[in-house]
Amino acid sequence: MKKLAMKKLQIALILIVLMAILGCTPGPAVSEVDDSPTATTSLPDPQVGVTPAPDVDSLIDVFMDAWRADDYSSMYTLLSDESRRTISEEDFVARYTNTAIALTLLFDEGITYETLSNETNPNRASSRLQVNYNTNLFGTLSRDLEMSLVREGGEWRLAWHEGLILPDLMGGNVLEIVRQPVPRGNIYASNGLPMAAQGDAVAIGFIPSNLDQDRLNQFYTTMARLTIYQSDEIRELEEQALPNDYVPLGEATREDVDANMDSISTLTGVYLNYYTSRFYFDGGIAPQTVGHLTYISEEEINRYMRLGYSPSERFGATGLEYSFEDALSGERGASLYLKDPGGQIISKLAERGAAPGQSINTTIDYGLQYRLQQSLGNFRGAIVVMELDTGRVLAMVSNPQFDPNLFDINNQNIIYATNPYAEPNDPVFNRATNGQYPLGSVFKIVTMATALETGIYDQNDSIYCGHSIVVCGNELFDWTLEKELPPSGDLTLPGGLMRSCNPWFYLIGEQLMLTGNPDALIEMARSFGLGKVTDVEITEQPGNIPAQVTTCEQNVQLAIGQGEMIVTPLQVAAFTAAVGNGGTLYKPALVDAIVPVNGDPTYTFEPQVSGSLPVSPENLTIIQNAMRDVITNARGTARVQLSNLRYQPFGKTGTAQNPFGASHAWFAGYTRVENPDRPDIAVVVMMENAGEGSEMAAPVFRRAVSLYFSNYSDTGGRMPWEAYAYVVASPTPIPSNTPIPTNTPLPTETPTPGPPTEEPEE
């Protein structure tokens, strides 16, 4: 009770004190008291700010995307300051580059990954990834990477170490790839003769001052047996060279050299350089078509090593060697080793066995190709021979020639003495597939087809073919005026093709415009396969057929194969074959089969139809008969050269004007022999700046047909520029060092042919 009394007393005292304090606080007078409601002022609710941590996944994605793109410099910018102090950007880039090479990482998709987990703290984070290293040689290697990240300046940065390239590289370990050499596949002609093969070869050359003057004739004849030169050509090379020059003659197989060693051993001044490499026979059979090898450039060496190549390896640069690089080069084999910093092998990480390259059996007729290569003299030009009913290309000549063996660095004397790319007239350029030229009067075949199919003219329509005609308001001229020949006179439409009457085809071009068919000629040209690639197996150009004609003058020029149109000789061969076979366009083919060392062919040729001519059988027969008249009619433009040819030829001459010099000479034709052992062929000849097609190109057609059907025994007579078959009458020029030319054909001097035996024709 006593404690309770004391507690009550304490509470009473506290209340008295509080009342006293309140009583001392001054307050307003009663009269100033505001009886209105009192406003209550409230503070705003407190705002809590949260700064989000940087996104770990974003940094990882940027880093990995840069790795996938081989952008190692961008990867380096994402490293922490401490990491960049431990490795320079140059060393960083080198390590990733060397690893990509050793692994043979694929391009673009060499690195793929999946994020397995992330852990994030305010200033540190980690990410665990599964990374797939997708390689050219070793399949896919998978590794788990633990990536540590640190906060710097409010951003995540990667705490890098060498294990983030590949965990196996921790502690200074390195990768080493040991490549296995792979034999390259051979390239064969249709009869099985090798055109390109691995083998022992000998580079042959001489120094004039060291030759024994008493044995010069023996020297000339022996070298002629071993090289592509004739005896008189070797004599000229010897006489025109400086006394102490090294004069390269080319290469021969070791077998051929050994067979002639009794004679060679008695000669002085002759030098033999033995080597084992890719060898191209007979100085190059169809060299622009077969192609050549080249060494990996300094700029591309990393790229090719990632593909599995060794640094000293060669690869296809042009032709079939380029197009079929994968098949010819085989499956590269290699072993991937992990080594410690001291160079000791820790383990073998991966291995792939090698497989030799596959060989290519071509459609090329070795004997025909070789002889036609010797038939264009010093002219730039092309010859294409193609089977009528299959599209198989039997010969593809581009002149001038070059020796693919010159690109072999083992043959140092040759490679430094003569660079084909530095020679005049660009002999490496394939004029048959990449040369683009106005077609001239051969295009009149297309124009005649257009006239017949549109119905603006038929085979019985006739005009007077004079020296000139007025079309589209302009006077245009016939070729007979320039040749100072009488006008051709009254001609039906087939007669117009037979006589190659320009006025007839000018008139067709005008009438197509007047009758509302402005695009008919363009559409017909495209249906004949012009203005687009043929899809042959090597690099080619599409030529050009204008998208549209807007003026009468344009259509008139197109009607005679001039103006904006350009074509390749291969395209012309394809449509000439189609005219001859009844209208089927076949895809030109150079490859008969692709054959591994063991096993069945991986590819076998089957004819492929690429289109058909939109010409009725009746109209096609009219065109065929007119092409026959070009040769058999007394006034046909090819009668002088081909009327005695016994293999029933059909054809069309062409002389195409060009702005760079003399006209290009064309002849396009086919045969109708129906020999089961020798399928009928289409042959197209184009000679740059050579003049008249009837005088210059038609004789080459005659030779091609004669060689083919006679099994090479009939040369078809002498060409206008030859002293005798395959030997040019004028001196053979010696190549000099010149700047590398462009691929644009340039004008050449036109050799003067012998006097014609008949009046000149187009």
Side-chain angles (χ1 to χ4, degrees):
M1 293 293 293
K2 189 175 183 178
K3 289 182 179 181
L4 181 59
M6 288 295 296
K7 186 74 171 177
K8 290 181 178 179
L9 179 61
Q10 289 174 347
I11 292 172
L13 290 173
I14 291 170
L15 291 173
I16 292 171
V17 171
L18 289 173
M19 291 177 65
I21 293 173
L22 292 173
C24 294
T25 301
V30 172
S31 60
E32 297 176 356
V33 174
D34 187 357
D35 293 334
S36 63
T38 302
T40 302
T41 302
S42 61
L43 295 173
D45 293 334
Q47 299 295 313
V48 179
V50 179
T51 302
D55 184 7
V56 171
D57 285 334
S58 294
L59 176 79
I60 297 299
D61 288 342
V62 171
F63 185 85
M64 298 303 289
D65 287 345
W67 192 356
R68 194 195 330 266
D70 303 325
D71 187 1
Y72 307 133
S73 293
S74 293
M75 294 166 65
Y76 186 77
T77 65
L78 302 177
L79 269 55
S80 67
D81 291 340
E82 178 62 28
S83 297
R84 282 186 280 180
R85 283 192 288 270
T86 63
I87 185 170
S88 68
E89 181 178 350
E90 182 180 5
D91 287 345
F92 180 87
V93 170
R95 291 195 187 188
Y96 276 91
T97 299
N98 292 338
T99 302
I101 291 172
L103 291 172
T104 68
L105 279 183
L106 297 175
F107 295 97
D108 298 327
E109 292 298 322
I111 297 293
T112 56
Y113 71 98
E114 179 186 357
T115 301
L116 302 178
S117 64
N118 286 332
E119 291 186 11
T120 305
N121 294 314
N123 293 311
R124 291 194 173 275
S126 64
S127 184
R128 190 164 68 89
L129 310 179
Q130 183 185 67
V131 177
N132 298 318
Y133 302 82
N134 305 307
T135 75
N136 281 292
L137 295 188
F138 307 115
T140 297
L141 306 178
S142 296
R143 296 289 189 275
D144 286 352
L145 299 188
E146 292 283 348
M147 291 188 162
S148 298
L149 297 89
V150 297
R151 288 279 297 275
E152 289 181 353
E155 300 290 340
W156 288 118
R157 288 291 181 262
L158 186 63
W160 185 86
H161 55 79
E162 56 203 355
L164 294 184
I165 306 175
L166 188 75
D168 310 68
L169 301 182
M170 285 294 291
N173 295 336
V174 295
L175 297 177
E176 181 176 323
I177 182 173
V178 178
R179 295 175 173 85
Q180 302 173 26
V182 181
R184 191 175 183 85
N186 298 333
I187 300 177
Y188 297 99
S190 59
N191 63 354
L193 287 176
M195 296 193 292
Q198 299 297 106
D200 293 332
V202 183
I204 304 172
F206 68 93
I207 296 177
S209 62
N210 294 345
L211 294 173
D212 185 342
Q213 298 300 304
D214 294 332
R215 293 183 178 269
L216 284 180
N217 287 334
Q218 178 185 338
F219 164 72
Y220 300 145
T221 56
T222 304
M223 295 301 102
R225 285 198 298 269
L226 292 171
T227 69
I228 61 173
Y229 295 107
Q230 304 286 337
S231 295
D232 57 346
E233 292 177 311
I234 296 172
R235 183 192 302 274
E236 290 176 13
L237 289 173
E238 183 266 328
E239 291 175 350
Q240 296 185 30
L242 295 175
N244 294 317
D245 279 353
Y246 175 84
V247 182
L249 288 176
E251 309 74 27
T253 64
R254 181 161 189 160
E255 180 181 5
D256 288 343
V257 169
D258 289 345
N260 286 272
M261 190 53 70
D262 287 345
S263 178
I264 297 172
S265 62
T266 64
L267 299 173
T268 60
V270 175
Y271 298 90
L272 306 178
N273 180 21
Y274 290 81
Y275 65 100
T276 300
S277 187
R278 188 81 162 168
F279 183 72
Y280 297 89
F281 291 78
D282 285 319
I285 297 296
Q288 297 90 352
T289 300
V290 171
H292 69 87
L293 302 184
T294 190
Y295 286 89
I296 302 171
S297 67
E298 198 65 38
E299 296 75 22
E300 291 194 302
I301 193 164
N302 286 348
R303 177 165 133 3
Y304 274 93
M305 289 177 71
R306 277 179 66 167
L307 292 171
Y309 288 75
S310 63
S312 60
E313 195 171 349
R314 294 194 294 163
F315 64 94
T318 60
L320 295 172
E321 293 276 30
Y322 170 80
S323 299
F324 292 90
E325 171 66 16
D326 288 345
L328 289 165
S329 63
E331 296 181 5
R332 288 169 176 77
S335 298
L336 181 65
Y337 293 98
L338 181 68
K339 290 187 172 183
D340 66 21
Q344 296 297 311
I345 295 176
I346 299 174
S347 64
K348 181 189 290 184
L349 297 182
E351 185 173 32
R352 178 190 176 181
Q358 301 183 72
S359 291
I360 292 178
N361 298 336
T362 73
T363 61
I364 297 296
D365 182 320
Y366 196 109
L368 181 65
Q369 175 76 34
Y370 179 80
R371 288 165 175 82
L372 290 180
Q373 283 180 205
Q374 320 307 318
S375 296
L376 288 182
N378 296 324
F379 287 96
R380 293 191 309 269
I383 308 169
V384 178
V385 181
M386 191 167 77
E387 286 184 356
L388 223 59
D389 296 311
T390 66
R392 297 174 76 252
V393 176
L394 306 183
M396 182 177 282
V397 175
S398 180
N399 207 54
Q401 306 294 307
F402 76 98
D403 185 348
N405 295 297
L406 300 180
F407 291 97
D408 189 349
I409 202 69
N410 291 316
N411 188 356
Q412 293 187 14
N413 289 323
I414 298 295
I415 192 69
Y416 294 129
T418 307
N419 177 0
Y421 282 103
E423 287 192 18
N425 301 322
D426 198 358
V428 183
F429 181 64
N430 191 337
R431 288 166 165 80
T433 59
N434 293 318
Q436 301 175 98
Y437 310 92
L439 183 52
S441 292
V442 174
F443 188 78
K444 292 172 181 175
I445 297 170
V446 180
T447 306
M448 182 175 174
T450 309
L452 293 170
E453 288 299 316
T454 56
I456 62 169
Y457 293 108
D458 64 34
Q459 64 175 325
N460 298 314
D461 286 320
S462 176
I463 71 165
Y464 179 79
C465 184
H467 280 156
S468 67
I469 189 173
V470 176
V471 291
C472 308
N474 300 307
E475 185 179 15
L476 300 178
F477 301 94
D478 188 45
W479 62 269
T480 54
L481 179 64
E482 183 182 352
K483 292 293 184 180
E484 299 181 351
L485 296 173
S488 295
D490 291 328
L491 293 171
T492 62
L493 179 54
L497 189 73
M498 173 273 295
R499 191 63 182 155
S500 201
C501 168
N502 286 341
W504 239 123
F505 294 89
Y506 292 143
L507 189 61
I508 292 172
E510 180 186 54
Q511 285 299 307
L512 287 171
M513 299 296 289
L514 295 176
T515 56
N517 293 292
D519 297 326
L521 195 50
I522 288 173
E523 291 170 359
M524 184 65 72
R526 289 180 179 151
S527 72
F528 270 58
L530 303 180
K532 58 186 177 182
V533 295
T534 67
D535 288 330
V536 72
E537 297 95 332
I538 60 176
T539 303
E540 62 176 329
Q541 295 299 318
N544 180 65
I545 296 298
Q548 62 178 349
V549 292
T550 57
T551 68
C552 183
E553 291 81 359
Q554 280 181 295
N555 215 40
V556 163
Q557 288 300 311
L558 182 60
I560 63 164
Q562 297 288 166
E564 301 171 42
M565 68 94 65
I566 51 176
V567 300
T568 69
L570 181 63
Q571 291 171 335
V572 181
F575 88 63
T576 301
V579 171
N581 68 30
T584 301
L585 275 168
Y586 286 101
K587 171 186 169 183
L590 290 162
V591 176
D592 247 348
I594 302 176
V595 185
V597 173
N598 297 305
D600 297 328
T602 57
Y603 167 82
T604 302
F605 169 75
E606 291 289 342
Q608 293 188 36
V609 175
S610 60
S612 60
L613 305 184
V615 184
S616 70
E618 296 78 14
N619 287 336
L620 198 57
T621 298
I622 295 169
I623 294 171
Q624 292 170 343
N625 291 338
M627 293 176 69
R628 181 67 178 147
D629 286 343
V630 168
I631 295 164
T632 59
N633 189 288
R635 304 173 68 203
T637 55
R639 179 186 63 85
V640 172
Q641 296 291 350
L642 302 177
S643 61
N644 293 328
L645 186 59
R646 50 194 175 130
Y647 302 109
Q648 197 175 4
F650 298 67
K652 181 69 190 78
T653 56
T655 303
Q657 297 177 357
N658 77 97
F660 301 108
S663 298
H664 301 320
W666 283 91
F667 190 89
Y670 64 91
T671 64
R672 186 176 290 165
V673 178
E674 299 179 351
N675 180 341
D677 298 323
R678 286 282 180 175
D680 281 304
I681 55 174
V683 180
V684 167
V685 180
M686 189 288 305
M687 300 174 66
E688 293 181 25
N689 313 116
E692 301 296 327
S694 60
E695 296 173 2
M696 305 299 282
V700 181
F701 173 87
R702 184 182 69 229
R703 173 165 289 176
V705 170
S706 299
L707 286 170
Y708 175 72
F709 284 106
S710 71
N711 198 27
Y712 325 126
S713 63
D714 181 359
T715 64
R718 179 177 62 86
M719 300 297 103
W721 51 89
E722 290 180 339
Y724 49 91
Y726 314 122
V727 177
V728 178
S730 58
T732 301
I734 297 178
S736 58
N737 290 327
T738 61
I740 296 175
T742 66
N743 282 342
T744 302
L746 301 174
T748 56
E749 290 292 327
T750 302
T752 303
T757 57
E758 303 278 351
E759 67 178 26
E761 307 287 1
E762 187 193 42

